Amino acid sequence: MVSLNRRSVLKLSALATGGFAGAASTSSGATAASDATWPGFQYDSANTGYVANGPTPTSGLSVERTYEVANQSQGSPVIADGKLFVTTSERSESNVPPKFYAFDLADGSVVWTYEGALEETYSLPVSPILAHDGLVYMIEEGIGHLRALDQDTGEHAWAAEVGRRSIVHEPLNDVIFCSGYGLDAKTGETRWHTDHFPVRSAAFAAGSGAIYYEESKPDSNQQYLTAISSADGELLWQYEASWWGSPTATADAVYAPKDGRRVAAYDPADGTELWTSKELGYEFLASVAVKDDTVFASYDTVIALDASDGSVRWETNVEGQYSSYPTPVVVDDVVYVPRDPGIVALDARDGTVLTRFEMSSGETIAVGDDALYTGQRHIHRVTGTGGGEANLVLEMTGDTAEAGGEATIDYILTNRGSAEATGLQGYVYRPSSDWTIEEAGAFTTLGAGETATASVTLAVPTDARGEYTFDGTVESESGSSATARCTVTVEPANETPEAAFSYEPSEPVVGEEVTFDAAAASDPDGTIVQYSWEFDDGSADADGVTTTRTFDSPGDYAVTLTVTDGEGATASVTKTVTVEQTPFGRWKEAHLETATRLDELAVSNFGAAERASAANEAYTTAVDDGRLSRTDATEAVQRLDRGLGITEDVFEYTTDAPELSTNEFDLIGEMARPVLDTTLELAMTAISIGKKLAKGAGLGTKNVLKVAKSKAFDAMTSLLSAAFGNTVDVASEVKTKGDTIVSKLQEGVYETVDQMLEFKEQLLDELVESVSASLQYAMEQSLLFSPVVSEVYPDGTGVSLTDGLAVFYARLSADPVANAGLDGTMAGASTAASDASASIQSEAEDTQALIADAKEFNEEYSLSTAIYDLFETPDSDDIVQTLVSAVLFLAGGVVDAFSTGGGYGALVKISVTHHLGLWGIQAGDPL
C-alpha cells in the first residue's frame, strides 16, 4: 500500500437536496397537518416519533417557560398554529372537571380553555388530543364524548358520543377513528362502525388507508394487533399476541410491543410477523420511534434495532428512573428519552449520550418552535444550544481504473446537524504526486439533513498497479469536518489487439475462390472476440476467423479486417488483393482491344470489334457448356487476336504514312493517283504542243516543240509501264482524257486555270477508279496462282482484307474448333504471325516511298498552269520555254524514280503476305 504524502484541495460545488420547511416527511409516508408542528402523540398519524430538520438542543438546556395548568397534565401535548394544547385529568373526588388549554407559544399566556363535564362516579383522565386542519380533538372519557374545537377560539365545532377510547386521524380518507367509529374529520358524521373494539388507553397508528391498534376481546383476556380499512372499517387482518402498547406504522412494517418484553415487526399487508427483537425489559409497554431503517426503543436501556431484521445496532444504559411509557423521540440524528429526573439526549447513529437535563419530565416529549415540551403536572418549554450546528458525515467511494486512464472518487457528504454547513472546503490525499487531478467538483454549502455528492477525477500513472488508498476531508467554516477513506484498484491498461490476416491463393484470378484467414491476429492481454471483414467489391461484409470471396472482375480490391478484444478495443488492417484475369479472360480482352483499335484506324467502320465480341461470346458459351476446354478456347482466341494483329499491322504501317489509305481498294487508288496525275499532264502537254505546232511556229521553236512532244509521250508510256506493268493498258484512256481537257481549253471553256484543274480532277477520279478496278482484278487473279491461297479461296473471291478476315474467323470459330480441335501448335501460329508482320512492315515501307516520290513529282513539277498559259498567251516564248524545260526534266527523271519496283507488285505482295499469315495462324504452322 502506498503511503499518503500529498494533500490536494478539492473545490466542490453544492449538490444539496431538499430542506425543512414546515411539515416534515415521516417514515410511513404520513405527514403532519400543514398547520401543525406536533399534531398528536408521537408526532404523526403513524406514531413514528421522528422529525427531520427539527431543533436538537444538546447543551445548555434550561426551562425557558412553564405552561401551568389547574390539574395534572395528561398525555402528549400538541403544538399547532403557534399554540400549545394541553389536557388535564379529571379528579372527581376533588370536584375538578377535566380542562382543555390553548396557550400562546410565544409568551405562555392562555388563549382559551374548555372545561369538560364532571363525572361524579369516576376519576378518569382525558385521552390524547389531536390537531388537524384548524380543529383540535379531545375525548371526555367521563361521558364518552369526542369533541372538536376551533384551534383559534376554542368554539365548539361538533361532538360525537362514541365512547372512552383514544383517537387517531387517518389522512388518506380524512377519518377520525375513536372507540370503533370512523368519523368525518370535518363534520363528525359517522361513516362506519366496527365491532373490533380497541383497548381504551393505547394510542392508534394510521397510514396508507389502514388503522392499526390493540384489540381486546370482551369475553377473554387475549389481545390482538388489528388492522382495519379507514374507508369502511372492514377487518384487514389480525395477529394474536400477548402485548400492551401503541403500534407504529411505516410502509415496510408495523412495529409494536410484544408480550411486555420485546418489539415485533409485522407485514402491513397481511399481519405476518417479520421478526421479534431481543428482550428489552419486563412490562415493556412504550411505543417505539422509527427513523428510516432504524427502530428506537426505551425501557431499561435505550436501544437501536435494524428495521429489516430486529438485530441490535447499539444499546446504551441510561441511568435514572423511567415511567411505564418512556417513549423516545428522534429529531434528525438525536434521540430524546424521558428519564426521571429529566431528559437524556443520545446520538442516534451510535448511542453516545450527548447530554442529560434534570427536570420533572413527563412520559412523552413534543418537539416544535425550536424547543422541547414535556412535564408531568405542568408543561415545560426546554431550550438549549448545540442543536443549531452542522454535523458532517463523509463517505468516499472509489472505482476500478486502468493504468494510464482515469479514476473517479465520489465524495458523498451528509449534514446530520440542524444548521446549514457553509464555506465547505474539500481535500484529497493522494498516494503520490503522480496522481494528478484532472477535474473536481465542489461543495460550497449544505443544508441541515441534506446529502450531496461531488466527484474528483484523477489521471492514473501508467505504471500504477494494485490497490491505492485515498483519504478525504471536508471542512466547514464553522469548524465542522468529516473524513473518509476509499480504495482505488488499478488494473493494467487494456492493450490494443493486433489485426493480421493472409489469403490463399496469393495471386488469385477471376472466378477463383479466395480464402481469407485471420488466425495470425492476436491480443497480447486477452482474447479477440470478434472478427469483421469488409470488402470494397460491393459484396456483403462478413464475420469470423475465416471467410471466402470470389471476384468476378480483375483489379485491385481493398480487404479490411477489424478485430475487437474482450474490452472493446479494436484494430484494423487493410490489404490490397490483386485479382488477375484468367488466361482465357486476358486473351478475350486483348482480342477485343485489338479489334477496337482496328476500327479506330479504319476510315470507315471495319466491323472488327463486333466480329471479335461475337467470337468471344461464342467461345465463352462453348466453355460454359462443356463443349470446349478452357485451354483450347484460350488458344483459339489467342490465335484470333494474333490474326487481327497482322491486319492491324497493315493498317498501322499504312495509316502512319499520309501517302497510304486504310482499305485495300483505296490503297490501290492512292498509289495509282499520283502516277495517273503525272501521266495525264504529260499527255495534256504532248497534245497541247501538237496543237501549237498545228498553228505554226518558228523553225527553232518548232524543233524544240517536236522534241518536247515526243519526250512527253515517251515519259507517259514509261511511267505507266513502270507503275502498273503490262497487266493494265491505260495509256489510250489517258491520252483520250488529256485531249478532252486540252480541247475545252482551246475552245475557251475555262475562264480560269482553277476551272480547268477542277475538270481535270474529275477526269482523274475516273481514271483512278478504272485503274484501281483493273488492278484489283489483276491482284485477285495473281493470288489465285498461289496453291495455298487458291485452297483458302477456292471461288476466287474474298481476297480483300475484310474478306480474308471473314474466312479466318469462320475457320477458327467455336463450333469447328469444338468439333475438330485446333491444327498445329500455338508456337507455330505465333511464328506465322511474327513472320507476316515483319514482311508487311518492309513491303509497306517500300510502297510508302514509291507513293511519296510520285506525289513529290506530281506536286513539284505540275504542268497544268503552263498548259493553261500556253493557250491564253500563245505568243509568249517564256511560257513555251518553261513548259518545254519542265517536260524535259520530268521525262528524264520519272522513269528512274519508278524503276526500283514497288507499285502494283508491292500491293500484291502485302495482300498475299496478309492472307498467308492468317492461314498459317489457323494452321498452327508458318507457311
Side-chain angles (χ1 to χ4, degrees):
M1 197 70 68
V2 179
S3 62
L4 302 179
N5 58 12
R6 181 78 175 173
R7 183 186 195 220
S8 298
V9 178
L10 291 175
K11 298 189 179 207
L12 308 168
S13 63
L15 300 170
T17 58
F20 180 80
S25 296
T26 70
S27 299
S28 66
T31 59
S34 59
D35 62 348
T37 303
W38 190 271
F41 175 72
Q42 284 297 87
Y43 177 58
D44 52 24
S45 58
N47 289 343
T48 62
Y50 168 63
V51 178
N53 303 324
T56 54
T58 56
S59 62
L61 272 64
S62 64
V63 175
E64 182 183 275
R65 182 178 299 112
T66 298
Y67 304 88
E68 296 185 357
V69 295
N71 204 350
Q72 181 172 335
S73 62
Q74 179 68 31
S76 173
V78 169
I79 302 171
D81 195 25
K83 301 178 184 65
L84 175 70
F85 299 98
V86 181
T87 61
T88 61
S89 59
E90 176 182 342
R91 290 289 183 264
S92 58
E93 71 278 6
S94 303
N95 200 29
V96 178
K99 201 168 188 179
F100 193 79
Y101 290 86
F103 292 100
D104 188 305
L105 277 177
D107 57 16
S109 62
V110 176
V111 178
W112 55 262
T113 61
Y114 176 84
E115 188 172 294
L118 179 65
E119 174 60 45
E120 295 181 357
T121 58
Y122 296 98
S123 176
L124 299 173
V126 177
S127 293
I129 55 177
L130 173 70
H132 168 67
D133 200 18
L135 298 177
V136 61
Y137 305 88
M138 57 172 278
I139 291 288
E140 292 183 66
E141 292 202 4
I143 59 175
H145 283 184
L146 168 63
R147 193 173 304 280
L149 306 176
D150 184 280
Q151 289 182 9
D152 293 330
T153 65
E155 292 180 359
H156 181 270
W158 56 261
E161 188 174 350
V162 293
R164 301 163 177 167
R165 295 294 184 270
S166 187
I167 57 176
V168 71
H169 174 251
E170 201 291 303
L172 182 64
N173 291 295
D174 199 20
V175 168
I176 299 294
F177 179 63
C178 178
S179 301
Y181 288 88
L183 307 176
D184 186 290
K186 294 182 177 59
T187 66
E189 178 183 354
T190 299
R191 292 187 181 176
W192 47 262
H193 180 263
T194 179
D195 294 332
H196 295 277
F197 210 64
V199 173
R200 179 184 65 183
S201 58
F204 311 148
S208 302
I211 300 172
Y212 308 94
Y213 56 90
E214 175 195 358
E215 178 186 356
S216 179
K217 298 294 185 180
D219 56 351
S220 70
N221 291 324
Q222 185 62 49
Q223 287 85 33
Y224 297 87
L225 175 61
T226 299
I228 63 173
S229 168
S230 67
D232 53 17
E234 290 296 319
L235 178 68
L236 299 177
W237 52 262
Q238 280 188 319
Y239 185 86
E240 183 177 350
S242 175
W243 67 284
W244 192 272
S246 301
T248 299
T250 71
D252 299 321
V254 178
Y255 307 95
K258 180 181 179 181
D259 64 26
R261 288 179 172 83
R262 290 180 283 269
V263 176
Y266 304 89
D267 190 324
D270 57 13
T272 301
E273 185 175 282
L274 302 177
W275 53 260
T276 300
S277 74
K278 60 169 278 188
E279 185 172 310
L280 305 179
Y282 182 71
E283 291 187 353
F284 171 72
L285 304 175
S287 297
V288 299
V290 180
K291 177 194 174 184
D292 299 330
D293 59 353
T294 306
V295 178
F296 300 90
S298 171
Y299 204 66
D300 291 339
T301 61
V302 181
I303 190 168
L305 306 173
D306 189 309
S308 64
D309 57 13
S311 60
V312 177
R313 290 187 167 174
W314 56 258
E315 185 174 7
T316 301
N317 184 22
V318 179
E319 296 179 358
Q321 299 296 319
Y322 53 88
S323 65
S324 298
Y325 309 100
T327 305
V329 171
V330 183
V331 185
D332 292 334
D333 285 323
V334 178
V335 181
Y336 293 98
V337 179
R339 274 294 188 268
D340 188 16
I343 299 172
V344 178
L346 303 93
D347 190 314
R349 294 163 296 185
D350 56 18
T352 302
V353 175
L354 302 176
T355 189
R356 176 189 294 272
F357 177 56
E358 294 186 2
M359 59 169 288
S360 177
S361 63
E363 295 176 345
T364 62
I365 300 172
V367 180
D369 193 34
D370 295 328
L372 308 177
Y373 298 83
T374 187
Q376 282 188 324
R377 176 172 179 78
H378 304 294
I379 301 301
H380 307 288
R381 172 183 169 90
V382 179
T383 60
T385 60
E389 295 180 358
N391 183 7
L392 298 178
V393 176
L394 178 63
E395 179 185 358
M396 293 172 62
T397 61
D399 59 4
T400 299
E402 284 188 356
E406 292 182 344
T408 299
I409 297 176
D410 290 332
Y411 279 57
I412 305 167
L413 184 66
T414 301
N415 182 1
R416 293 181 176 174
S418 60
E420 182 180 59
T422 59
L424 295 172
Q425 183 70 57
Y427 304 91
V428 61
Y429 297 86
R430 300 172 291 164
S432 72
S433 59
D434 294 335
W435 293 73
T436 58
I437 298 175
E438 293 188 340
E439 184 178 354
F443 295 117
T444 54
T445 61
L446 189 64
E450 294 178 347
T451 298
T453 300
S455 301
V456 56
T457 302
L458 302 101
V460 182
T462 56
D463 58 350
R465 298 290 188 277
E467 292 186 348
Y468 294 83
T469 300
F470 290 80
D471 285 312
T473 300
V474 178
E475 300 173 348
S476 71
E477 61 184 0
S478 64
S480 178
S481 66
T483 61
R485 171 176 290 183
C486 71
T487 299
V488 173
T489 301
V490 180
E491 299 177 346
N494 181 47
E495 295 187 48
T496 303
E498 181 179 352
F501 70 91
S502 60
Y503 59 90
E504 287 293 336
S506 58
E507 297 180 353
V509 297
V510 172
E512 185 176 24
E513 185 176 79
V514 183
T515 299
F516 295 89
D517 190 344
S522 61
D523 185 31
D525 60 350
T527 304
I528 296 177
V529 297
Q530 184 174 3
Y531 300 80
S532 300
W533 300 89
E534 182 178 349
F535 300 85
D536 72 347
D537 64 341
S539 60
D541 297 341
D543 294 318
V545 178
T546 62
T547 188
T548 59
R549 275 296 184 277
T550 300
F551 298 93
D552 297 330
S553 302
D556 292 333
Y557 297 94
V559 179
T560 300
L561 168 68
T562 300
V563 294
T564 305
D565 68 11
E567 299 298 323
T570 62
S572 298
V573 62
T574 299
K575 291 186 177 182
T576 299
V577 179
T578 300
V579 179
E580 299 289 351
Q581 184 58 274
T582 61
F584 183 42
R586 285 200 300 273
W587 280 112
K588 286 194 294 183
E589 290 177 355
H591 180 207
L592 187 58
E593 289 172 1
T594 303
T596 302
R597 290 198 302 272
L598 277 177
D599 285 340
E600 292 173 351
L601 289 171
V603 174
S604 58
N605 184 14
F606 197 69
E610 183 178 355
R611 191 191 307 273
S613 180
N616 286 349
E617 184 176 353
Y619 273 106
T620 300
T621 301
V623 171
D624 292 343
D625 292 345
R627 294 185 292 113
L628 192 62
S629 70
R630 186 176 293 271
T631 300
D632 287 347
T634 301
E635 182 175 333
V637 174
Q638 185 178 0
R639 292 192 187 194
L640 290 176
D641 178 66
R642 296 304 301 268
L644 280 186
I646 297 176
T647 309
E648 182 182 15
D649 287 341
V650 174
F651 280 81
E652 189 72 34
Y653 296 137
T654 58
T655 302
D656 287 345
E659 295 81 8
L660 303 181
S661 180
T662 54
N663 68 60
E664 190 162 333
F665 185 82
D666 290 341
L667 179 60
I668 296 172
E670 282 295 307
M671 294 175 62
R673 189 177 192 87
V675 175
L676 291 173
D677 193 4
T678 300
T679 56
L680 182 58
E681 286 198 338
L682 288 171
M684 289 167 57
T685 300
I687 293 169
S688 297
I689 292 174
K691 290 184 182 294
K692 182 67 174 177
L693 289 172
K695 287 185 178 183
L699 180 60
T701 301
K702 180 184 286 190
N703 290 333
V704 172
L705 288 176
K706 285 181 178 181
V707 172
K709 176 183 177 182
S710 176
K711 290 287 187 182
F713 276 124
D714 291 343
M716 178 193 73
T717 302
S718 299
L719 184 55
L720 290 174
S721 177
F724 308 123
N726 298 324
T727 306
V728 179
D729 183 10
V730 74
S732 60
E733 189 174 354
V734 172
K735 289 179 181 180
T736 300
K737 292 189 181 297
D739 185 63
T740 301
I741 296 170
V742 174
S743 296
K744 287 183 179 291
L745 176 61
Q746 189 176 14
E747 294 170 1
V749 174
Y750 314 121
E751 295 182 0
T752 64
V753 68
D754 290 336
Q755 290 182 356
M756 184 191 75
L757 293 175
E758 183 179 352
F759 181 62
K760 188 193 80 169
E761 288 297 318
Q762 293 177 8
L763 297 184
L764 181 61
D765 289 341
E766 295 174 3
L767 278 172
V768 170
E769 185 174 357
S770 174
V771 170
S772 295
S774 298
L775 287 173
Q776 178 74 18
Y777 176 75
M779 284 172 55
E780 293 174 2
Q781 294 300 311
S782 299
L783 286 171
L784 293 178
F785 286 110
S786 168
V788 175
V789 175
S790 63
E791 183 180 352
V792 179
Y793 310 105
D795 298 331
T797 60
V799 293
S800 67
L801 297 181
T802 304
D803 291 339
L805 284 175
V807 174
F808 176 65
Y809 268 84
R811 288 178 173 269
L812 274 180
S813 62
D815 288 339
V817 172
N819 293 331
L822 291 167
D823 295 331
T825 64
M826 188 64 228
S830 298
T831 301
S834 299
D835 291 348
S837 294
S839 297
I840 289 171
Q841 180 180 6
S842 176
E843 292 155 10
E845 289 173 354
D846 290 344
T847 303
Q848 176 185 343
L850 171 67
I851 297 173
D853 290 344
K855 284 187 175 182
E856 182 179 351
F857 275 106
N858 181 242
E859 293 171 359
E860 188 172 353
Y861 303 106
S862 177
L863 304 175
S864 296
T865 301
I867 294 170
Y868 180 84
D869 292 341
L870 181 64
F871 284 90
E872 290 297 316
T873 55
D875 297 331
S876 174
D877 292 336
D878 291 339
I879 293 173
V880 172
Q881 186 63 41
T882 299
L883 181 61
V884 171
S885 297
V887 169
L888 294 177
F889 177 82
L890 181 59
V894 72
V895 175
D896 293 336
F898 287 94
S899 63
T900 56
Y904 163 72
L907 290 174
V908 173
K909 193 172 183 181
I910 288 175
S911 183
V912 170
T913 302
H914 172 265
H915 287 60
L916 292 180
L918 295 182
W919 176 255
I921 292 172
Q922 184 264 321
D925 185 21
L927 301 175

